[in-house]
Amino acid sequence: MVRQSLQDKKSVYGAAPVQDPVSSHTLAVIVDNEPGVLARVIGLFSGRGYNIESLTVAETDHTSRQSRITLVCSGTVHVIEQIHHQLGRLVPVHKVSNLTLEGTHIERELALLKVVGKKDKRIEALRVADIFRARVVDSTLESFVFEITGTTEKVDAFVALMRPLGLIEISRTGVAAMSRGKEGVHNGE
Amino acid sequence: MATKNMSTKAQPKMQLVKTTPQVKAKTAKSKPVMVFDKKTLTGAEIVIQALVDNGVDTIFGYPGGAVLPIYDAIFQQKKVRHVLVRHEQAALHAAEGYARSTGKVGCALVTSGPGATNAVTGLTDALLDSIPVVCFSGQVPTFLIGTDAFQEADTTGITRQCTKQNYLVKDVKDLAKTVHEAFHVAKSGRPGPVVIDLPKDVQFAPGPYQSPEDTDISRYQPRTMPDLSKIEAAVELIAGAKKPIFYTGGGVINAGPEAAKLLAEFVQMTGYPLTSTLMGLGAYPMSDTQHLGMLGMHGTFEANWAMHDCDVMVNIGARFDDRVTGRLDAFSPNSKKIHIDIDPSSINKNVRVDLGIVADSTEALRAMIAVWKKRKYKANAPALKQWWAQIEKWRSVKCLSYKNSQTIIKPQYALERLQSALSKDKREVFISTEVGQHQMWAAQFLKFDQPNHWMTSGGLGTMGYGLPAAIGVQMAHPDALVVDVAGDASILMNIQELSTAVQYRLPVKVFILNNQWMGMVKQWQELLHGERYSNSYTESLPDFVKLAEAYGGVGLRAQTPDDLDRVIKEMMKTDRVTLVDICVDQKENCFPMIPSGKAHNEMILSPDAEKFDKTLV
Ligand SMILES: Cc1ncc(C[n+]2csc(CCOP(=O)(O)OP(=O)(O)O)c2C)c(N)n1
């Protein structure tokens, strides 16, 4: 009897749980700029199966040698909370802020697009760029390189419009983000 | 450069610590007592000096080309004993055994490449069980890193996911402060393993030494003090409970003996029942009636039912591991849950709780006791009486019963005889285990009344853990009685450590419950895979008695129940490493058992338990 019912489940682990809805969150992480710290942050995501949508990093304070990582990640509320705590326990991490939860914030991304074309397409590309306030930062008789900044959605829309107009290359920075208002993401804690 | 600097402007040197002017001023006052009689030290000497200054007296290791300068420095001093293991995995487990039995940080030393990769299992084991360990690994010289040099492995890369923190020290100037920070990180907050990778040229290079007192380690300061308003809310919940239970884990052990004392005080003040995880055994005396025994997959009937039916659960230093919770959506469905843990990421990780408190167990318990006293709380006596009556009914099932035999040794009986002999012995007793059925039986049948006396690989479940761990324990407690409860398969995974035990005259006792099977694997195959015993029978087992003798130890064997007491007595008398081959029933399975994916109230009892009465629930 016992045996029969047990054979229905052949795993030494339980069944996978039902998933809650997934949403996207932007985290600002202040870290010591030392070797391996980025690998540790990324390893945490791959090791625990979390999703990173975008990650940007650069040193923001030369004297204290600290860097700011801006992470856009997606998951259930529960997973996002875990990511927050898991990041927080890393030794070189000073502070983790969930900008999505902590009031409103601004997000910007910069992209460079190389568009190759002639005649009408070339004129149309310039026209669209003008609407999106993209700048021409390089041009030849047959090509433009556009620079655009804006939210991820705006950059996505611009990329979509440029595709039929001869877009051959894109380079995007990923999201940089900051909360609105006078409060800063302070180091410490 | 082995590890790329993350900023666009590469900064070659690792900067760990911001030295402040005050810190510098202190240098004059607290000069360390130097182990080496020189002004500047070599990197290797700095390592030794830093070990001494961090209170290390024993290090477990294995030499090789990339760590020879450190071995040379070890040779020239007397403060730090080096224990030569026979495999680097064992060095880590020994360091774990040392750490768990002393509450100090365990230390290991391995060479580059294969030395470091062999250490990975031990590091992962320490990570999952939150054991403070610092492991030094040799590395090829800095100028060869990245060239696939002889015995080069990307040690910091490989160990990043199995350490709490790791370092590659590329400049001898950073060495002392790195070691001090490593010790601080290993033991603070939720403890864990830390690796320091040391290129050979750094070990040779002369450099400055600074003492731990002169090193700023303030960047890593995990929270230990609880939020008092949450403690008050918790105590209010606890006091109002009708069917309460304490569920405690390794965090109480890691917090130190004071935490165990406070736990006992609080549990006795309330009169509430308590159950412990595998890792937490010993934090509360198992001989006390308020202890319901271990919970979880092979936990007691009463513990698991009490967890399932309770109305307030007080988790202190346990992490809702899947072996403990069983099916999550059916886990203790009607309780309010309080979770006290030093690691914020443990709270709400597996189980959503009503009240999460980030704190060291000692501080949390101290605060809870104070609130309970100040507010003059009293347990709800009639409700508690009813709850205990219910628990006693569960207890009366006698879930650990087994049918003894006159002719064949039941593993449970062997452990009962062992327990009886141990409790009569005057020496301090430490138990380690390997992994499998014998481990669960040891947890069920041996009695742990003090913290830090039980070493088992809980999180990782590492076969081969027990013997080296026992060696680490015995190094720290030379006069104690240290027994490794083993299985015939597991013991072969680090059997070479008998040689270490012989060399250092460590009278470790290995108590093998020999069923000639990978018993736990066999049990799952029997219950879940149609009795198709694929590769779980151990053909060609060695003769353990002769094996022990070949290593220079003592070998003993018990084949019938009548042999048991005599063999155990003899084992306890020997002053040498002793392998005891207990030939036990090959068919015995470990019960009770919650099949995974099932809830606590769906546990299977042994056919030998007093008949399970449905009216009880
Ligand atoms: C290193 C490692 N490999 C494999 C396993 C899987 N495993 C768990 S228990 C077990 C059998 C252990 O057999 P034995 O040591 O004889 O103990 P018994 O269960 O018979 O008491 C195995 C293979 C493990 N836990 N660790």
Side-chain angles (χ1 to χ4, degrees):
Chain A
M1 250 269 300
V2 156
R3 279 188 193 158
Q4 203 55 49
S5 67
L6 271 172
Q7 278 167 16
D8 301 341
K9 271 214 61 68
K10 292 207 172 170
S11 169
V12 296
Y13 303 99
V18 198
Q19 284 283 306
D20 293 336
V22 168
S23 60
S24 190
H25 287 242
T26 305
L27 307 185
V29 189
I30 310 293
V31 301
D32 282 327
N33 181 11
E34 66 186 31
V37 62
L38 190 56
R40 231 170 223 284
V41 168
I42 291 172
L44 193 147
F45 277 77
S46 59
R48 292 184 185 265
Y50 305 143
N51 294 321
I52 304 186
E53 285 170 7
S54 126
L55 181 148
T56 59
V57 55
E59 194 167 79
T60 49
D61 185 343
H62 282 302
T63 35
S64 64
R65 311 248 7 251
Q66 290 193 343
S67 293
R68 175 167 173 138
I69 300 177
T70 308
L71 259 165
V72 183
C73 50
S74 61
T76 62
V77 180
H78 187 174
V79 165
I80 300 289
E81 188 187 312
Q82 263 298 300
I83 292 175
H84 192 133
H85 288 312
Q86 293 287 355
L87 286 168
R89 74 207 274 254
L90 300 181
V91 174
V93 168
H94 288 271
K95 170 98 186 175
V96 185
S97 285
N98 185 330
L99 297 175
T100 306
L101 292 185
E102 294 164 13
T104 52
H105 69 283
I106 304 151
E107 291 190 5
R108 287 294 177 272
E109 206 182 334
L110 184 145
L112 297 174
L113 287 83
K114 185 173 284 183
V115 179
V116 180
K118 287 184 188 153
K119 295 183 191 151
D120 289 358
K121 282 199 175 170
R122 195 167 156 79
I123 295 162
E124 179 63 7
L126 270 183
R127 212 178 59 80
V128 173
D130 195 41
I131 295 170
F132 277 77
R133 294 200 199 121
R135 292 201 299 143
V136 176
V137 288
D138 178 69
S139 94
T140 66
L141 287 177
E142 286 175 30
S143 69
F144 289 119
V145 174
F146 294 110
E147 175 199 301
I148 180 168
T149 43
T151 60
T152 300
E153 295 73 29
K154 177 180 167 186
V155 175
D156 284 347
F158 185 62
V159 167
L161 285 173
M162 282 296 161
R163 246 181 239 293
L165 302 176
L167 176 67
I168 62 157
E169 199 176 335
I170 313 169
S171 171
R172 294 173 73 151
T173 58
V175 170
M178 196 166 276
S179 61
R180 288 187 186 273
K182 66 179 166 61
E183 295 304 321
V185 171
H186 288 297
N187 175 9
E189 266 201 335
Chain B
M1 294 229 319
T3 359
K4 276 238 178 68
N5 205 291
M6 49 177 279
S7 90
T8 37
K9 294 182 191 77
Q11 307 254 347
K13 270 173 223 143
M14 159 154 135
Q15 176 111 33
L16 278 175
V17 172
K18 310 115 218 169
T19 352
T20 60
Q22 301 103 297
V23 169
K24 278 201 187 110
K26 253 171 41 185
T27 319
K29 277 182 271 156
S30 50
K31 270 264 145 54
V33 184
M34 284 293 179
V35 176
F36 298 95
D37 191 18
K38 284 182 226 151
K39 288 263 150 47
T40 40
L41 303 181
T42 65
E45 289 168 342
I46 288 173
V47 169
I48 306 293
Q49 184 66 47
L51 288 179
V52 172
D53 288 350
N54 282 286
V56 175
D57 53 21
T58 309
I59 186 164
F60 302 89
Y62 205 94
V67 277
L68 286 182
I70 299 181
Y71 272 87
D72 202 29
I74 286 175
F75 191 85
Q76 297 176 47
Q77 54 81 49
K78 288 209 165 64
K79 289 244 157 92
V80 181
R81 281 178 303 182
H82 177 271
V83 178
L84 177 66
V85 294
R86 293 335 190 230
H87 186 293
E88 289 86 351
Q89 182 192 347
L92 270 296
H93 292 326
E96 286 185 89
Y98 184 93
R100 289 175 72 161
S101 65
T102 59
K104 299 203 305 190
V105 178
C107 255
L109 173 60
V110 302
T111 192
S112 66
T117 55
N118 271 350
V120 166
T121 302
L123 292 167
T124 314
D125 193 273
L127 183 73
L128 275 173
D129 282 348
S130 308
I131 309 300
V133 169
V134 171
C135 175
F136 296 86
S137 55
Q139 183 54 278
V140 300
T142 44
F143 52 87
L144 282 181
I145 289 178
T147 64
D148 296 331
F150 178 62
Q151 295 196 326
E152 180 185 358
D154 174 6
T155 301
T156 44
I158 290 169
T159 60
R160 193 163 287 126
Q161 305 310 329
C162 62
T163 52
K164 183 173 173 186
Q165 171 71 340
N166 62 7
Y167 308 88
L168 169 63
V169 183
K170 290 201 274 185
D171 188 326
V172 72
K173 286 207 299 293
D174 299 324
L175 182 51
K177 53 193 176 188
T178 303
V179 179
H180 300 325
E181 186 180 82
F183 274 89
H184 169 68
V185 167
K187 67 184 180 215
S188 311
R190 180 175 179 176
V194 177
V195 163
I196 306 175
D197 202 25
L198 294 171
K200 194 169 179 178
D201 53 338
V202 174
Q203 300 171 36
F204 277 126
Y209 184 76
Q210 65 181 64
S211 68
E213 295 75 34
D214 293 336
T215 303
D216 179 9
I217 43 165
S218 61
R219 72 166 179 161
Y220 183 68
Q221 295 297 346
R223 172 176 196 151
T224 55
M225 296 306 282
D227 177 338
L228 267 184
S229 62
K230 285 190 175 178
I231 288 284
E232 284 173 358
V235 179
E236 194 179 330
L237 253 179
I238 294 170
K242 295 195 167 118
K243 298 192 282 178
I245 188 156
F246 285 99
Y247 149 45
T248 63
V252 180
I253 312 262
N254 273 339
E258 182 66 13
K261 256 194 236 140
L262 293 167
L263 176 68
E265 188 182 337
F266 195 40
V267 169
Q268 277 155 25
M269 262 161 87
T270 56
Y272 293 174
L274 171 144
T275 176
S276 163
T277 67
L278 180 70
M279 292 301 295
L281 294 179
Y284 187 84
M286 289 182 91
S287 43
D288 187 83
T289 49
Q290 275 170 260
H291 202 312
L292 308 187
M294 179 175 76
L295 83 163
M297 186 173 270
H298 292 290
T300 66
F301 189 72
E302 51 272 31
N304 285 333
W305 266 100
M307 286 288 280
H308 185 269
D309 275 14
C310 68
D311 68 345
V312 172
M313 176 188 297
V314 192
N315 172 346
I316 309 176
R319 59 184 174 89
F320 293 110
D321 174 84
D322 61 285
R323 303 287 103 159
V324 156
T325 58
R327 201 173 113 196
L328 273 180
D329 57 3
F331 173 68
S332 193
N334 305 314
S335 60
K336 287 252 182 262
K337 298 176 185 72
I338 300 166
H339 186 184
I340 297 166
D341 204 296
I342 193 136
D343 178 2
S345 74
S346 281
I347 293 170
N348 289 329
K349 182 174 66 184
N350 301 340
V351 169
R352 307 295 289 177
V353 296
D354 300 278
L355 196 52
I357 303 177
V358 177
D360 179 83
S361 309
T362 315
E363 302 303 340
L365 279 160
R366 207 195 306 282
M368 289 199 291
I369 291 171
V371 171
W372 181 280
K373 282 184 180 160
K374 198 173 112 214
R375 300 245 187 116
K376 301 200 169 65
Y377 279 125
K378 287 215 164 52
N380 178 339
L384 194 60
K385 198 167 161 224
Q386 234 179 352
W387 179 228
W388 272 113
Q390 171 67 75
I391 289 171
E392 288 311 327
K393 280 188 198 162
W394 288 323
R395 241 183 199 155
S396 68
V397 166
K398 294 201 165 66
C399 67
L400 298 179
S401 318
Y402 60 94
K403 207 172 276 146
N404 211 354
S405 152
Q406 297 294 320
T407 48
I408 191 158
I409 304 176
K410 292 284 178 176
Q412 301 96 324
Y413 180 65
L415 288 170
E416 281 183 340
R417 295 319 304 155
L418 176 67
Q419 174 60 47
S420 144
L422 293 177
S423 45
K424 286 188 204 112
D425 202 280
K426 285 198 192 66
R427 285 169 287 184
E428 201 176 357
V429 176
F430 293 86
I431 305 287
S432 72
T433 74
E434 307 289 337
V435 170
Q437 290 178 322
H438 63 274
Q439 176 190 29
M440 293 298 119
W441 281 317
Q444 293 172 340
F445 287 88
L446 301 181
K447 296 273 164 277
F448 305 99
D449 285 346
Q450 298 174 68
N452 304 101
H453 287 66
W454 160 245
M455 339 285 139
T456 194
S457 171
L460 195 62
T462 313
M463 292 169 70
Y465 170 85
L467 175 55
I471 286 173
V473 174
Q474 190 88 73
M475 277 307 295
H477 308 271
D479 301 323
L481 183 57
V482 185
V483 183
D484 170 28
V485 176
D488 47 280
S490 294
I491 192 61
L492 289 180
M493 286 222 176
N494 270 321
I495 190 76
Q496 76 286 345
E497 296 310 316
L498 285 178
S499 185
T500 309
V502 170
Q503 177 177 347
Y504 295 90
R505 299 194 169 75
L506 304 175
V508 168
K509 321 295 181 200
V510 183
F511 195 76
I512 306 175
L513 298 177
N514 184 352
N515 54 11
Q516 299 193 22
W517 286 85
M518 296 173 196
M520 194 54 100
V521 173
K522 193 202 70 176
Q523 177 163 348
W524 283 91
Q525 289 173 333
E526 181 180 333
L527 298 175
L528 299 175
H529 293 273
E531 300 178 52
R532 289 179 296 279
Y533 298 120
S534 175
N535 293 280
S536 52
Y537 181 70
T538 329
E539 299 245 0
S540 323
L541 274 178
D543 178 332
F544 284 113
V545 172
K546 284 193 190 145
L547 189 64
E549 286 162 1
Y551 272 106
V554 177
L556 302 169
R557 178 170 292 131
Q559 279 170 308
T560 66
D562 293 340
D563 295 343
L564 259 180
D565 283 349
R566 177 184 53 78
V567 165
I568 291 174
K569 198 168 159 201
E570 212 167 318
M571 167 188 99
M572 311 256 285
K573 269 201 324 229
T574 67
D575 58 357
R576 279 191 292 159
V577 60
T578 306
L579 214 60
V580 192
D581 187 17
I582 311 280
C583 307
V584 297
D585 188 350
Q586 299 191 6
K587 296 213 175 60
E588 197 65 25
N589 277 337
C590 184
F591 290 113
M593 171 177 177
I594 304 177
S596 23
K598 300 280 174 179
H600 274 174
N601 58 351
E602 296 176 281
M603 67 190 319
I604 306 172
L605 283 172
S606 150
D608 305 327
E610 314 254 314
K611 204 157 168 39
F612 170 48
D613 178 359
K614 275 265 171 26
T615 59
L616 288 177
V617 291

